[in-house]
Amino acid sequence: MRALCWEGVGKLAVRDVPEPRVRAADDIIVRVRASSVCGSDLHLINGYLPAMREGDVLGHEFMGEVVETGPGVRRLRVGDRVVVGSVVACGGCWYCRTEQYSLCDNSNPQPVFTEKLWGHSPAGILGYSHAAGGYSGSHAEYVRVPFGDVGAFPVPDGVADDAVVFASDAMPTGWMAADFCGLEGGEVVAVWGAGGVGQMAARSAQILGAERVIVIDRLPERLATAAARLGVETIDYSRTDVLEALREMTAGRGPDACIEAVGMESHDVGPSYAYDRAKQAARLQTDRLTSVRQAIMACRKGGTVSIVGVYAGLVDKFPLGAAMNKALVLRMGQMHAQRYIPMLLDRIAVGEIDPGYLATHPLPLEEGVRGYELFEKKRDGCLRSVLHPAG
Amino acid sequence: MVSKATRWVLLGVGAAAATGVGRTVARRRRRHQPERQDGWYVVRRGVTVDRPRDAVIGFWTDRERLDRALAEWATLERIDGDRWRCEGVAPDGGAGWRAEITVEGPGVLRWRVTEGAVPQEGRLELTDAPQGRGTELRAELRYRSGPVRRVFGLTAGDEPDLALRDALRRVKSLIECGQVIETRHDPSARSPRQERATDKIRDKLTTGGRA
Ligand SMILES: NC(=O)c1ccc[n+]([C@@H]2O[C@H](COP(=O)([O-])OP(=O)(O)OC[C@H]3O[C@@H](n4cnc5c(N)ncnc54)[C@H](O)[C@@H]3O)[C@@H](O)[C@H]2O)c1
Ligand SMILES: [Zn+2]
Ligand SMILES: [Zn+2]
């Protein structure tokens, strides 16, 4: 079958690879119909999460059709149209039973790297390097989904592939980011990053009760889309002093909650960006922290900073003093896909969230390399390229 | 036939089998030497299984497929009351090993490798984890390094320790979700040579772990 593979730092290619097989009783094989690019892939492609191997199949945000089930699969049938959470979860450990799926104890068969790096190993993630289990990803005609009954969810009829695909990753991530904020109604929430994740976080914050949502980015077309689709306010950080603007918009208080949906390749204007980039290039620090710093500085006293942008290692100049002395609540994590997907599917079905507009560039799998170029360089208004391996 | 009540000695077989063969995977020397007592290296490892103690013990009596899995690399034979003899072959077809397993009480067993690459003995204890978090499996492993290994500078060999951690992790996974997940032959565009190199890395990332 054909698949989009990583071929070295910054290099991708569509190649022939063997088809996956059912290998455990709980496995299902999914024929992929839509598989989206995600900001996390950029960290992998560019070598910031340094555990990719040449030939690895990328992709983790996807939906498709069940074409084969292992003998232990109960809930799903061949022919089901399903969306699959990008996080692999066993369903049987303490973390899974308490719905903290991205912390599953048993789904990363290669836990040593992250145990050394982080003290413990979180869950495996499909198509997400050998640090996250070495699973083959979804930018392929077929993909093996372990623990199929836990990770795959039948989708309602009448919802387009290119909309429901985001229930796999961008939506649950955005939802969890807003959920972390503990909103009670009437809050002001600021969101850094107007990518798929940031936009879904903004929409989720609205649904969970935020009165005002302010989205921060530098890409005018993304900010315009967010304003038009979601009715949020926006700040262009390349033209405006973000901290000043937020202070003014909240009459001095600062946002009640700040969501960071940018991640470790955070971009900045000014000298500290050059400094961060240089250190990152020399691998003296793995992560660039601009937006997290801003979120902490901007947040009101006693407010919540919710981080869903991905970070991997060590950072510099983390404003711990500000966080400590302002008594901030810091929440963060990889999202618990399986916990949120059924609820999100319901919300899509009734039209409360319509993520379909994120799929700005539907493309055949064969054009996957171009799909990533468009996405990475944010060309042509690309929010997300969605690959269609089934044609 | 092995009686239900004592079938959980299989858990001991699991631990003994993994450590008894002495793994041959090459890896970096550890910075921390294991603790030493009377010429033995001593390591203690634990893992928490999210099931009550009865279920952990019951697992080994319920699952026929464990028997089948076991049949391929070990046999279990009762010596008397609480003592069992266990005999196995190394998974790579290498030298076999022989161990004696003794059930010492409800939730405690000991094993002693009587023939194998690395002289060793171990103790496995099951206790209730706090907060209803299931069962703690605590293992203490003692092993010596033979003269040959000393000559080759392998005295600080951590293989039995790594293998024990592997074994505990696998046991936990089997009980909690019925399988030990594997991604080794997932599709990729690698050539056979690249795949072999990647398998070596997978080995390193798989072996040991925190347990
Ligand atoms: N926690 C999770 O489970 C999870 C899941 C999916 C994605 N993610 C992460 O979420 C992040 C965003 O993902 P995405 O798919 O939306 O990526 P994306 O690349 O489409 O969007 C990132 C956006 O951040 C903007 N940005 C860069 N620097 C900024 C700054 N200093 N201030 C404000 N905005 C800035 C970029 O212009 C871009 O629009 C990534 O780090 C990704 O890895 C996390
Ligand atoms: Zn993602
Ligand atoms: Zn789990």
Side-chain angles (χ1 to χ4, degrees):
Chain A
M1 64 172 185
R2 302 289 282 169
L4 184 72
C5 302
W6 188 81
E7 302 261 282
V9 172
K11 272 193 288 181
L12 299 173
V14 178
R15 293 256 179 270
D16 284 319
V17 308
E19 284 182 14
R21 290 181 296 118
V22 164
R23 295 172 53 204
D26 304 334
D27 283 357
I28 60 172
I29 304 289
V30 172
R31 181 163 159 267
V32 180
R33 291 165 63 115
S35 182
S36 176
V37 304
C38 167
S40 306
D41 298 329
L42 301 179
H43 312 326
L44 297 172
I45 295 169
N46 296 329
Y48 292 113
L49 289 169
M52 294 293 288
R53 299 283 302 167
E54 249 180 87
D56 281 342
V57 179
L58 266 174
H60 59 266
E61 179 164 34
F62 69 105
M63 56 79 58
E65 183 191 333
V66 178
V67 291
E68 200 181 336
T69 58
V73 175
R74 303 266 167 275
R75 213 166 46 76
L76 299 168
R77 299 264 169 283
V78 168
D80 283 354
R81 186 166 159 255
V82 293
V83 63
V84 179
S86 51
V87 163
V88 184
C90 79
C93 69
W94 182 77
Y95 289 101
C96 287
R97 286 203 303 120
T98 53
E99 299 197 314
Q100 305 177 76
Y101 295 98
S102 73
L103 304 177
C104 174
D105 266 343
N106 299 316
S107 64
N108 185 345
Q110 305 179 166
V112 175
F113 184 83
T114 44
E115 279 175 357
K116 289 221 162 92
L117 199 60
W118 300 330
H120 295 88
S121 170
I125 303 176
L126 294 170
Y128 207 83
S129 92
H130 289 266
Y135 290 96
S136 195
S138 62
H139 294 333
E141 291 173 60
Y142 300 93
V143 62
R144 176 176 77 103
V145 178
F147 308 112
D149 277 339
V150 183
F153 299 85
V155 300
D157 291 337
V159 184
D161 290 357
D162 281 0
V164 87
V165 65
F166 300 116
S168 164
D169 191 37
M171 290 180 74
T173 307
W175 188 274
M176 187 161 99
D179 196 19
F180 277 163
C181 298
L183 304 177
E184 290 175 352
E187 288 87 350
V188 180
V189 176
V191 180
W192 275 256
V197 173
Q199 301 222 11
M200 289 301 110
R203 179 71 194 115
S204 305
Q206 290 173 331
I207 294 172
L208 288 169
E211 189 170 304
R212 290 172 70 189
V213 176
I214 303 160
V215 174
I216 301 147
D217 205 306
R218 74 173 183 290
L219 303 170
E221 57 301 341
R222 288 193 170 193
L223 291 174
T225 306
R229 293 282 177 169
L230 310 174
V232 297
E233 298 161 67
T234 61
I235 299 176
D236 176 346
Y237 70 81
S238 67
R239 294 160 179 273
T240 316
D241 180 330
V242 175
L243 296 183
E244 269 304 313
L246 287 173
R247 216 174 293 134
E248 197 198 303
M249 291 162 100
T250 56
R253 298 187 310 280
D256 299 293
C258 293
I259 294 175
E260 199 275 353
V262 176
M264 60 190 177
E265 290 172 74
S266 183
H267 167 274
D268 195 6
V269 284
S272 83
Y273 179 57
Y275 169 83
D276 277 346
R277 275 207 74 139
K279 281 198 88 169
Q280 199 174 22
R283 297 295 188 261
L284 291 172
Q285 76 176 1
T286 48
D287 306 346
R288 299 200 297 261
L289 201 62
T290 326
S291 41
V292 172
R293 285 186 200 125
Q294 272 185 2
I296 289 174
M297 296 306 288
C299 193
R300 80 153 162 83
K301 292 182 282 182
T304 300
V305 173
S306 161
I307 304 174
V308 288
V310 165
Y311 292 86
L314 306 175
V315 296
D316 231 23
K317 302 213 236 48
F318 180 78
L320 188 57
M324 192 277 160
N325 290 287
K326 292 203 291 178
L328 300 184
V329 178
L330 300 187
R331 303 279 323 255
M332 59 196 90
Q334 296 280 358
M335 55 91 192
H336 306 308
Q338 290 82 346
R339 172 159 157 194
Y340 300 114
I341 289 176
M343 172 271 295
L344 291 169
L345 290 175
D346 289 346
R347 291 184 195 269
I348 298 178
V350 300
E352 198 176 5
I353 312 181
D354 177 13
Y357 75 91
L358 299 179
T360 49
H361 290 72
L363 293 169
L365 176 65
E366 293 297 327
E367 286 186 52
V369 180
R370 190 166 78 87
Y372 270 99
E373 252 169 46
L374 287 163
F375 176 59
E376 173 161 22
K377 306 273 174 350
K378 318 300 187 210
R379 291 216 183 96
D380 190 28
C382 181
L383 253 173
R384 261 164 156 65
S385 305
V386 178
L387 308 181
H388 294 151
Chain B
M1 197 50 222
V2 183
S3 83
K4 236 179 171 225
T6 44
R7 270 282 286 281
W8 77 286
V9 291
L10 290 176
L11 219 170
V13 178
T19 56
V21 286
R23 304 274 303 231
T24 46
V25 185
R27 64 176 65 81
R28 271 178 290 143
R29 207 73 52 74
R30 266 160 49 124
R31 255 168 294 152
H32 301 291
Q33 302 272 318
E35 182 189 331
R36 292 199 69 154
Q37 271 176 20
D38 313 326
W40 293 84
Y41 292 108
V42 183
V43 288
R44 295 180 192 86
R45 296 284 166 194
V47 76
T48 304
V49 178
D50 184 41
R51 294 293 180 276
R53 193 139 55 114
D54 285 348
V56 172
I57 292 177
F59 178 82
W60 302 91
T61 57
D62 284 349
R63 299 274 175 121
E64 272 183 24
R65 67 175 151 157
L66 273 181
D67 262 359
R68 262 181 278 131
L70 194 64
E72 285 165 26
W73 45 266
T75 58
L76 193 63
E77 181 195 336
R78 194 170 207 158
I79 304 172
D80 55 42
D82 289 326
R83 291 197 308 143
W84 302 79
R85 180 180 302 121
C86 179
E87 220 172 300
V89 286
D92 53 15
W97 52 273
R98 200 186 275 247
E100 208 175 286
I101 301 174
T102 312
V103 176
E104 289 208 325
V108 185
L109 60 77
R110 277 181 187 284
W111 75 87
R112 193 163 61 87
V113 171
T114 49
E115 276 169 45
V118 187
Q120 55 140 319
E121 54 189 50
R123 182 171 190 275
L124 187 75
E125 188 173 355
L126 309 188
T127 52
D128 295 334
Q131 288 187 306
R133 297 255 181 122
T135 306
E136 296 178 355
L137 261 67
R138 295 178 177 279
E140 184 183 288
L141 171 70
R142 297 164 163 263
Y143 60 96
R144 282 183 199 278
S145 44
V148 179
R149 299 167 57 76
R150 265 199 295 279
V151 167
F152 286 101
L154 293 169
T155 44
D158 52 359
E159 294 92 337
D161 178 24
L162 290 174
L164 174 65
R165 290 193 271 167
D166 261 8
L168 291 176
R169 186 154 49 81
R170 295 172 69 88
V171 162
K172 168 184 165 70
S173 188
L174 270 175
I175 298 177
E176 289 183 345
C177 67
Q179 63 162 301
V180 180
I181 193 100
E182 205 15 299
T183 53
R184 199 162 290 248
H185 303 292
D186 266 19
S188 81
R190 281 185 277 279
S191 66
R193 190 186 49 79
Q194 287 174 316
E195 189 65 13
R196 278 195 299 278
T198 299
D199 279 348
K200 283 203 183 114
I201 295 199
R202 286 183 185 274
D203 270 340
K204 284 200 178 141
L205 298 182
T206 306
T207 312
R210 168 165 289 260

